[in-house]
């Protein structure tokens, strides 16, 4: 009986010998383990206990032994069938492996068996937690099949809360295993920031979509224009990001959209949020807030086939290695973000205007384009974006 397909053959290739397969009872395995661990075990007594019965802690210890050696042969435990009371193990000559190889085989079997175990059923603390989890599962399915996004289905009871316009946010986290963020903790932190109950939808491992009322985020807009609302949302995201980053260790990425109607637009809005984070991480490594209206050119560049991007870099860039220099990269990105304004760029970089002019002249000398010229600035901007996404010369 093959418990772990392919693994047995892999190990045999490594050690250069065949692994024999055995099926023993749990009691036989425990008895062998007890003898090897220098315990006095026989059919009548075990450590002075009549009937040859092991105590529960001792039984667990021996059952969990990963391997047993009899001197001539070594046996590796592969799987336990508690229902039938059997243990499956593989065995070979002890001379065929070293101590280091023994440890490696144990680790390989352990990793494979843990990965093959069925997931433990999730126990929800409340009906709302279960409703949000079900909504998240549906949303993940929508992301996996982007051919046609659907409205939130009727059977999801939380749909009632999605009938009014909300501002959608997406948070992706890269946290150390010891500092994994739990949805309950994140929800508490976000509600303290928003000052109201929010809809926090788990999307998977350390990724959430959450929805908040427009009035809380925007407040009173002095000038009710799209640009003014974008500026307010950007400022709100800055504060939100600082809050999350100060609470947990790790790297965080945040995106947001203008208000939408979640019942019909939750799936496409989530797709746009994920795309914005993906683009931001590819083109703006040092940034962590990725808003779609700031990534329109990046979206166009990302849609160009790689072969054409490489051709553009080859035909346009005389020496794109200049982009490997962090000072040059920072200078160009700041210059472009400030509409190619020399004075404002010098102030932002905390350098003298003549120093900036010297850097721009140096760039012109190396790649042949003067970014103070509109047409040249467009070409260099495109060249820089394509270079970033391809990471090739």
């Amino acid at each position: 009986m093959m418990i772990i397909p392919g693994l047995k053959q892999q190990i045999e290739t490594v050690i250069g010998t065949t692994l024999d397969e055995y099926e023993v009872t749990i009691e036989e395995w425990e008895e062998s383990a007890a003898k090897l661990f220098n315990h006095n075990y026989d059919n009548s007594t075990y450590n002075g206990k009549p009937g040859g019965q092991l105590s529960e802690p001792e039984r667990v210890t021996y059952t969990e032994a990963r391997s047993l050696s009899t001197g001539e042969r070594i046996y590796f435990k592969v799987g336990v069938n508690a229902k039938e009371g059997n243990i499956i193990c593989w065995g070979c000559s002890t001379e065929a492996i070293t101590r280091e190889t023994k440890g490696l085989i144990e680790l390989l079997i352990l990793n494979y068996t843990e990965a093959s175990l069925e997931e433990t059923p999730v126990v929800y603390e409340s009906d709302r937690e279960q409703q949000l989890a079900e909504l998240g599962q549906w949303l993940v399915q929508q992301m996996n099949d982007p051919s046609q996004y659907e409205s939130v289905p009727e059977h999801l009871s939380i749909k009632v809360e999605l009938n009014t316009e909300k501002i959608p946010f997406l948070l992706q986290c890269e946290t150390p295993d010891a500092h994994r963020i739990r949805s309950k903790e994140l929800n508490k932190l976000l509600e303290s920031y928003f000052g109201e109950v929010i809809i926090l939808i788990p999307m998977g491992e350390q990724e959430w979509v959450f929805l908040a009322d427009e009035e809380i985020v925007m407040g009173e807009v002095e000038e009710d224009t799209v640009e003014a609302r974008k500026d307010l949302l950007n400022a709100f995201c800055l504060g939100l990001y600082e809050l999350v980053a100060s609470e947990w260790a790790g790297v965080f990425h945040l995106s947001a959209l203008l208000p939408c109607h979640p019942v019909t637009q939750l799936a496409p809005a989530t797709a746009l949020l994920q795309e914005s984070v993906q683009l931001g991480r590819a083109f703006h490594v040092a940034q962590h807030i990725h808003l779609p209206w700031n990534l329109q050119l990046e979206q166009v560049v990302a849609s160009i086939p790689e072969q054409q991007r490489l051709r553009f870099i080859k035909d346009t860039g005389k020496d794109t290695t200049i982009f490997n220099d962090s000072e040059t990269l920072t200078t160009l990105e700041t210059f472009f973000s400030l509409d190619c304004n020399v004075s404002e760029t010098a102030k932002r970089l905390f350098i003298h205007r003549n120093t900036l002019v010297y850097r721009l002249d140096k760039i012109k000398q190396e790649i042949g384009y003067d970014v103070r010229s509109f047409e040249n600035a467009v070409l260099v901007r495109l060249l820089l974006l394509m270079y970033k996404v391809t990471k090739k010369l």
Side-chain angles (χ1 to χ4, degrees):
M1 178 170 57
M2 180 63 71
I3 302 299
I4 310 173
L7 179 60
K8 182 171 179 286
Q9 183 178 358
Q10 294 175 29
I11 295 177
E12 288 174 339
T13 301
V14 172
I15 64 178
T17 189
T18 302
L19 289 171
D20 299 319
E21 195 166 302
Y22 303 88
E23 183 174 332
V24 300
T25 65
I26 292 178
E27 287 75 15
E28 289 173 334
W29 183 269
E30 291 170 346
E31 179 181 351
S32 299
K35 290 179 179 179
L36 291 173
F37 296 156
N38 297 321
H39 286 294
N40 180 21
Y41 183 100
D42 57 41
N43 291 332
S44 59
T45 63
Y46 175 77
N47 278 358
K49 303 180 183 68
Q53 298 296 317
L54 294 108
S55 67
E56 194 60 32
E58 292 162 341
R59 179 176 296 274
V60 170
T61 299
Y62 296 137
T63 303
E64 291 182 352
R66 299 180 188 177
S67 65
L68 297 176
S69 176
T70 61
E72 295 182 356
R73 295 187 69 78
I74 184 168
Y75 302 90
F76 297 95
K77 184 184 68 177
V78 181
V80 179
N81 189 334
K83 185 176 181 180
E84 297 182 3
N86 294 330
I87 288 180
I88 306 302
C89 55
W90 296 335
C92 66
S93 169
T94 54
E95 296 179 353
I97 62 173
T98 63
R99 181 177 179 180
E100 291 75 15
T101 305
K102 170 181 172 292
L104 175 60
I105 294 174
E106 291 177 351
L107 183 60
L108 286 171
I109 293 174
L110 179 64
N111 289 340
Y112 270 74
T113 51
E114 286 182 346
S116 64
L117 291 175
E118 294 184 1
E119 294 184 359
T120 304
V122 179
V123 178
Y124 299 105
E125 297 182 2
S126 64
D127 291 340
R128 180 174 176 78
E129 183 181 352
Q130 182 173 351
Q131 293 167 5
L132 291 169
E134 291 172 351
L135 178 59
Q137 292 166 7
W138 171 82
L139 199 51
V140 169
Q141 292 175 353
Q142 291 287 298
M143 297 303 102
N144 292 334
D145 184 16
S147 57
Q148 184 176 0
Y149 294 124
E150 301 174 356
S151 298
V152 177
E154 294 290 341
H155 73 270
L156 294 177
S157 55
I158 199 172
K159 180 179 179 179
V160 178
E161 298 183 44
L162 308 178
N163 277 322
T164 58
E165 282 200 338
K166 304 281 186 182
I167 293 182
F169 297 83
L170 175 73
L171 179 67
Q172 288 184 0
C173 308
E174 300 173 17
T175 54
D177 291 339
H179 299 278
R180 290 284 182 177
I181 302 174
R182 296 176 64 246
S183 294
K184 186 175 180 180
E185 298 168 347
L186 178 61
N187 187 75
K188 184 178 179 180
L189 180 69
L190 293 177
E191 289 187 350
S192 69
Y193 185 74
F194 284 91
E196 65 167 3
V197 175
I198 63 169
I199 301 175
L200 181 66
I201 308 168
M203 287 286 292
E205 195 68 25
Q206 302 292 280
E207 181 180 20
W208 296 266
V209 168
F210 51 97
L211 308 170
D213 291 336
E214 178 182 2
E215 293 77 13
I216 299 298
V217 178
M218 298 295 185
E220 296 183 3
V221 186
E222 295 181 1
E223 185 181 356
D224 192 12
T225 63
V226 173
E227 290 304 317
R229 290 150 67 89
K230 289 179 179 178
D231 290 341
L232 282 173
L233 186 53
N234 182 65
F236 188 89
C237 287
L238 286 170
L240 179 57
Y241 172 80
E242 292 297 331
L243 175 68
V244 174
S246 65
E247 189 72 17
W248 289 290
V251 178
F252 307 93
H253 297 276
L254 180 66
S255 185
L257 296 175
L258 292 175
C260 68
H261 200 264
V263 167
T264 57
Q265 296 177 297
L266 181 58
T270 300
L272 181 55
L273 289 169
Q274 288 185 332
E275 181 188 32
S276 299
V277 171
Q278 182 180 3
L279 289 172
R281 295 177 68 169
F283 289 101
H284 307 291
V285 179
Q287 298 180 22
H288 300 95
I289 298 175
H290 316 289
L291 303 176
W293 46 85
N294 294 331
L295 296 162
Q296 293 172 329
L297 187 57
E298 287 82 351
Q299 185 180 37
V300 172
V301 171
S303 66
I304 300 173
E306 183 179 5
Q307 185 176 0
Q308 293 185 24
R309 293 199 301 262
L310 291 172
R311 180 179 176 182
F312 181 88
I313 293 174
K314 182 179 179 181
D315 294 344
T316 311
K318 296 181 179 179
D319 186 9
T320 52
T321 55
I322 191 175
F323 296 143
N324 291 330
D325 179 65
S326 59
E327 182 182 90
T328 300
L329 193 61
T330 302
T331 299
L332 284 172
E333 290 186 331
T334 306
F335 185 68
F336 292 140
S337 69
L338 294 174
D339 299 325
C340 301
N341 187 303
V342 175
S343 298
E344 291 299 322
T345 302
K347 291 179 182 178
R348 181 71 60 85
L349 294 174
F350 302 102
I351 59 177
H352 194 276
R353 191 178 188 279
N354 291 343
T355 302
L356 176 60
V357 170
Y358 170 79
R359 291 184 186 179
L360 298 180
D361 287 338
K362 183 180 178 182
I363 293 171
K364 177 183 177 181
Q365 181 181 358
E366 295 203 24
I367 63 176
Y369 296 104
D370 187 351
V371 292
R372 286 161 291 193
S373 162
F374 174 76
E375 185 176 347
N376 286 354
V378 171
L379 285 173
V380 175
R381 174 71 168 146
L382 287 171
L383 180 61
L384 177 57
L385 290 175
M386 291 189 186
Y387 176 75
K388 280 185 175 182
V389 76
T390 57
K391 303 298 182 185
K392 296 177 182 178
L393 296 176

